[in-house]
């Protein structure tokens, strides 16, 4: 997308304030949906719990006077016509799905904060009879986490034209249930067209790291993203008895997987963590204590800010997989995600910084290691991200925590940035 240089036009009196109690109340309501005894949530994409959370959001949007659209992959849009039909659109949002035994803040905080920010921006402008030049909208994207269905950021990638609708709907979970079937089961297999004329997208999210906390900063201005490559490795061996089968004759798929798991960590250690690697899931068949594993499906990922380093790690992993293969044991690799390192819109970064400065918040520029819906949105509009601190950098865990004052800070900055964009006082 073409970037334009920002101008310093914001003044303190021109920014809305949010209601912290209202923000917290909505967040607590959502946190109870799929809540776990350990204080987290399990709300997998298109699950029963996800359906209840979607209903909660949809009811809120209806009450607040938004037009609600649901597209073919279940993305929810709340559209607010402030500047009239056909005006450019400013979009904000995040996702409602979680990891299993995941945190309450990941994604859901961004959706709730978007609701409060847009509500506050609208009320602020109407109270001052300030004309809006752009419409506002909230999005809740389908299957951002990529836990139940692969790949991650699936709904936003379809919106951005990076993934075909039919391919997305055909993705199946471990039980063979497709996304299409799951969305139909919870009543969110939509038929509406997604919004058009989206000019900018701004997403608020927890950092999921500890740089902001360590630096004493309330707001992270996200300049770009690390590159990511994710693999599914199908390792086909031969099931056999774990007792009488001679060791030399075993075709142990799990042993081959273990060798690749260790390699992934070794590749990262060699770069002192500049290449981040992980194997987070193994599906073992037949998964019995007395049977040599006949088949293993392994999920591996590689992340780096430097594209050459990322490519080298992937090359070495693929080469090792070829070497581990042997007569009677084969490894098939499939890349499910290929996300290059990239930059967010520089003018949006400057706008976030300006709003944060006016509100008195310390900021830090940083890159996101994790993937977010803002990354695919970059293909179709100006896209940017705001981070708030994560206590001890913990995420994808029931211990995930962002302090109330940081939640308020993020929503306040988001509201100010959205208001400036929607009223044309942003200088973009």
């Amino acid at each position: 997308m073409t970037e334009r240089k920002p101008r310093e036009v914001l003044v303190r009196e021109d920014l809305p304030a949010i209601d912290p109690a209202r923000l917290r109340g909505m967040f607590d309501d959502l946190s109870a949906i799929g809540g776990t005894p350990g204080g987290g949530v399990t709300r997998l994409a298109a699950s029963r719990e996800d359906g209840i959370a979607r209903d909660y959001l949809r009811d809120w949007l209806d009450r607040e006077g938004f037009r609600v659209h649901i597209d073919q992959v279940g993305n929810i849009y709340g559209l607010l016509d402030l500047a009239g039909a056909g005006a450019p659109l400013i979009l904000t949002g995040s996702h409602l799905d979680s990891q299993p035994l995941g945190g309450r803040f990941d994604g859901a905080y961004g959706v709730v904060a978007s609701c409060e920010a847009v509500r506050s921006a609208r009320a602020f402008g109407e109270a001052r009879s300030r004309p809006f030049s752009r419409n506002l909208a909230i999005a809740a994207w389908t299957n951002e986490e990529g836990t139940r269905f692969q790949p991650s950021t699936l709904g936003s990638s379809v919106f951005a034209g990076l993934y075909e609708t039919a391919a997305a709907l055909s993705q199946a979970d471990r039980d063979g249930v497709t996304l299409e079937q799951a969305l139909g089961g919870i009543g969110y297999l939509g038929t509406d067209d997604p919004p058009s004329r989206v000019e900018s997208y701004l997403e608020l999210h927890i950092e999921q790291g500890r740089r902001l906390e360590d630096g004493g900063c309330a707001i992270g201005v996200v300049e770009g993203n690390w590159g990511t490559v994710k693999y599914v490795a199908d390792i086909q061996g031969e099931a056999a008895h774990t007792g009488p089968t001679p060791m030399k004759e075993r075709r142990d798929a799990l042993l081959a997987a273990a060798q690749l798991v260790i390699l992934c960590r070794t590749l990262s250690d060699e770069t002192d963590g500049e290449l981040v690697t992980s194997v987070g899931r193994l599906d073992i068949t037949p998964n019995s204590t007395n049977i040599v594993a006949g088949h293993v499906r392994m999920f591996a990922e590689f992340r780096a800010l430097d594209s050459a380093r990322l490519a080298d790690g992937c090359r070495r992993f693929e080469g090792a997989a070829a070497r581990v293969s042997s007569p009677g044991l084969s490894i098939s690799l499939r890349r499910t995600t290929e996300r290059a390192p990239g930059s967010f819109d520089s003018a949006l970064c400057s706008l976030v910084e300006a709003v944060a400065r006016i509100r008195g918040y310390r900021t830090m520029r940083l890159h996101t290691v994790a993937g977010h819906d803002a990354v695919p949105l970059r293909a179709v509009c100006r896209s940017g991200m705001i981070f708030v601190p994560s206590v001890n950098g913990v995420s994808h865990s029931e211990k995930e925590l962002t302090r109330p004052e940081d939640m308020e800070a993020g929503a306040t900055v988001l509201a100010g940035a959205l208001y400036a964009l929607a009223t044309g006082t942003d200088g973009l």
Side-chain angles (χ1 to χ4, degrees), residues 178-424:
T178 66
L179 177 60
E180 182 174 18
Q181 292 168 331
L183 287 171
I186 61 172
Y188 281 89
L189 185 62
T191 59
D192 297 323
D193 291 330
S196 59
R197 296 206 67 191
V198 177
E199 185 177 87
S200 298
Y201 175 73
L202 194 55
E203 181 171 358
L204 174 61
H205 206 280
I206 59 171
E207 182 192 352
Q208 302 178 293
R210 58 187 309 160
R211 288 191 62 196
L212 292 176
E213 185 178 54
D214 289 348
C217 295
I219 297 296
V221 181
V222 187
E223 293 186 289
N225 65 281
W226 285 36
T228 303
V229 176
K230 297 184 180 182
Y231 291 92
V232 172
D234 280 297
I235 307 171
Q236 187 62 55
E238 183 177 346
H241 198 299
T242 56
T245 306
M247 297 297 291
K248 293 189 296 184
E249 296 180 10
R250 299 186 185 196
R251 304 294 180 259
D252 190 340
L254 186 56
L255 176 61
Q259 292 171 333
L260 293 178
V261 171
I262 293 172
L263 171 71
C264 287
R265 179 54 186 258
T266 300
L267 292 174
S268 179
D269 289 344
E270 288 176 357
T271 69
D272 196 26
E274 294 297 320
L275 173 69
V276 174
T277 65
S278 180
V279 175
R281 174 178 160 188
L282 296 173
D283 295 342
I284 304 169
T285 305
N287 204 26
S288 170
T289 58
N290 294 326
I291 303 177
V292 174
H295 176 266
V296 173
R297 175 165 286 178
M298 184 177 83
F299 294 75
E301 62 179 49
F302 297 77
R303 303 174 191 258
L305 183 57
D306 180 80
S307 57
R309 175 164 282 154
L310 180 62
D312 180 66
C314 292
R315 177 187 59 78
R316 293 176 64 185
F317 175 73
E318 292 173 7
R323 290 191 298 273
V324 170
S325 299
S326 62
L329 194 147
S330 63
I331 300 179
S332 173
L333 292 179
R334 175 168 55 95
R335 291 193 180 194
T336 59
T337 296
E338 293 188 67
R339 184 164 53 232
S343 299
F344 288 121
D345 185 81
S346 62
L348 286 176
C349 290
S350 296
L351 174 63
V352 170
E353 277 183 328
V355 173
R357 182 176 63 251
I358 290 167
R359 286 303 192 189
Y361 298 122
R362 288 188 63 193
T363 65
M364 175 187 293
R365 290 214 172 201
L366 71 174
H367 284 71
T368 176
V369 182
H372 299 286
D373 293 304
V375 175
L377 262 291
R378 195 170 51 207
V380 291
C381 66
R382 294 183 312 207
S383 185
M385 289 198 75
I386 304 168
F387 275 173
V388 293
S390 297
V391 174
N392 294 322
V394 175
S395 186
H396 286 185
S397 162
E398 292 175 302
K399 296 180 181 178
E400 182 180 272
L401 179 65
T402 290
R403 294 186 175 92
E405 59 268 28
D406 292 325
M407 294 176 65
E408 179 183 348
T412 297
V413 172
L414 179 64
L418 293 175
Y419 177 75
L421 289 166
T423 57

